[in-house]
Coordinates of all heavy atoms in Angstrom, one line a residue:
E740 N 152.0 -2.8 60.3 CA 150.7 -2.3 60.2 C 150.6 -1.1 59.2 O 149.5 -0.7 58.8 CB 150.1 -1.9 61.5 CG 150.0 -2.9 62.6 CD 149.1 -4.1 62.2 OE1 148.1 -3.8 61.5 OE2 149.4 -5.2 62.6
F741 N 151.8 -0.6 58.8 CA 151.9 0.5 57.9 C 152.8 0.2 56.8 O 153.9 0.8 56.6 CB 152.4 1.8 58.7 CG 151.5 2.1 59.9 CD1 151.9 1.6 61.1 CD2 150.4 2.8 59.8 CE1 151.1 1.9 62.3 CE2 149.6 3.1 60.9 CZ 149.9 2.7 62.1
P742 N 152.5 -0.8 55.9 CA 153.4 -1.2 54.9 C 153.8 -0.1 53.9 O 154.9 -0.2 53.4 CB 152.6 -2.4 54.2 CG 151.2 -2.2 54.5 CD 151.2 -1.5 55.8
R743 N 153.0 0.8 53.7 CA 153.3 1.9 52.7 C 154.4 2.8 53.3 O 155.0 3.6 52.6 CB 152.1 2.7 52.3 CG 151.2 2.0 51.4 CD 149.9 2.8 51.0 NE 150.2 4.2 50.8 CZ 149.3 5.1 51.1 NH1 148.1 4.8 51.6 NH2 149.6 6.4 50.9
L744 N 154.5 2.8 54.6 CA 155.5 3.7 55.3 C 156.8 3.1 55.7 O 157.7 3.8 56.2 CB 154.8 4.3 56.5 CG 153.5 5.1 56.3 CD1 152.9 5.6 57.6 CD2 153.7 6.3 55.4
I745 N 156.9 1.8 55.5 CA 158.1 1.1 56.0 C 159.3 1.7 55.3 O 159.3 1.9 54.1 CB 158.1 -0.4 55.7 CG1 157.1 -1.1 56.7 CG2 159.5 -1.1 55.8 CD1 156.9 -2.5 56.5
G746 N 160.3 2.1 56.1 CA 161.5 2.7 55.5 C 161.4 4.2 55.3 O 162.4 4.8 55.0
S747 N 160.3 4.8 55.5 CA 160.1 6.2 55.3 C 160.5 6.9 56.6 O 160.6 6.4 57.6 CB 158.7 6.6 54.9 OG 157.8 6.2 55.9
K748 N 160.7 8.2 56.4 CA 161.1 9.1 57.6 C 160.4 10.4 57.4 O 160.1 10.8 56.3 CB 162.6 9.2 57.8 CG 163.3 9.9 56.7 CD 164.8 10.0 56.9 CE 165.5 10.8 55.9 NZ 165.4 12.2 56.0
N749 N 160.2 11.1 58.5 CA 159.7 12.5 58.4 C 160.6 13.4 57.7 O 161.8 13.3 57.9 CB 159.4 13.0 59.8 CG 158.2 12.3 60.5 OD1 157.4 11.7 59.8 ND2 158.2 12.3 61.8
V750 N 160.1 14.3 57.0 CA 160.9 15.3 56.3 C 161.2 16.4 57.3 O 160.3 16.9 58.0 CB 160.1 15.9 55.1 CG1 160.8 17.0 54.4 CG2 159.8 14.8 54.1
T751 N 162.4 16.8 57.3 CA 162.8 17.9 58.2 C 162.4 19.3 57.5 O 162.0 19.3 56.4 CB 164.3 18.0 58.4 OG1 164.9 18.3 57.2 CG2 164.8 16.6 58.9
G752 N 162.4 20.3 58.3 CA 162.1 21.6 57.8 C 163.0 22.1 56.7 O 162.5 22.6 55.7
I753 N 164.2 21.8 56.8 CA 165.2 22.1 55.7 C 164.9 21.3 54.5 O 165.0 21.9 53.4 CB 166.6 21.9 56.2 CG1 167.0 23.0 57.3 CG2 167.6 22.0 55.1 CD1 168.3 22.8 58.0
E754 N 164.6 20.0 54.6 CA 164.2 19.2 53.5 C 163.0 19.7 52.8 O 162.9 19.7 51.6 CB 164.1 17.8 53.9 CG 165.4 17.1 54.3 CD 165.2 15.7 54.9 OE1 164.2 15.5 55.6 OE2 166.2 14.9 54.8
Q755 N 162.0 20.2 53.6 CA 160.8 20.8 53.0 C 161.1 22.0 52.1 O 160.6 22.1 51.0 CB 159.8 21.2 54.1 CG 159.1 20.1 54.8 CD 158.2 20.6 55.9 OE1 158.4 21.8 56.4 NE2 157.3 19.8 56.3
I756 N 162.0 22.8 52.7 CA 162.4 24.1 51.9 C 163.1 23.7 50.6 O 162.8 24.2 49.6 CB 163.2 25.0 52.8 CG1 162.3 25.6 53.9 CG2 163.9 26.1 52.0 CD1 163.1 26.3 55.0
K757 N 164.0 22.8 50.7 CA 164.8 22.4 49.5 C 163.8 21.8 48.4 O 163.9 22.1 47.3 CB 165.9 21.4 49.9 CG 167.1 22.0 50.5 CD 168.1 21.0 50.8 CE 169.3 21.6 51.5 NZ 170.4 20.7 51.8

Side-chain angles (χ1 to χ4, degrees):
E740 299 297 328
F741 305 93
R743 288 180 36 213
L744 300 177
I745 289 178
S747 63
K748 64 180 183 82
N749 290 335
V750 175
T751 67
I753 291 173
E754 290 169 332
Q755 285 178 342
I756 290 169
K757 285 182 180 180

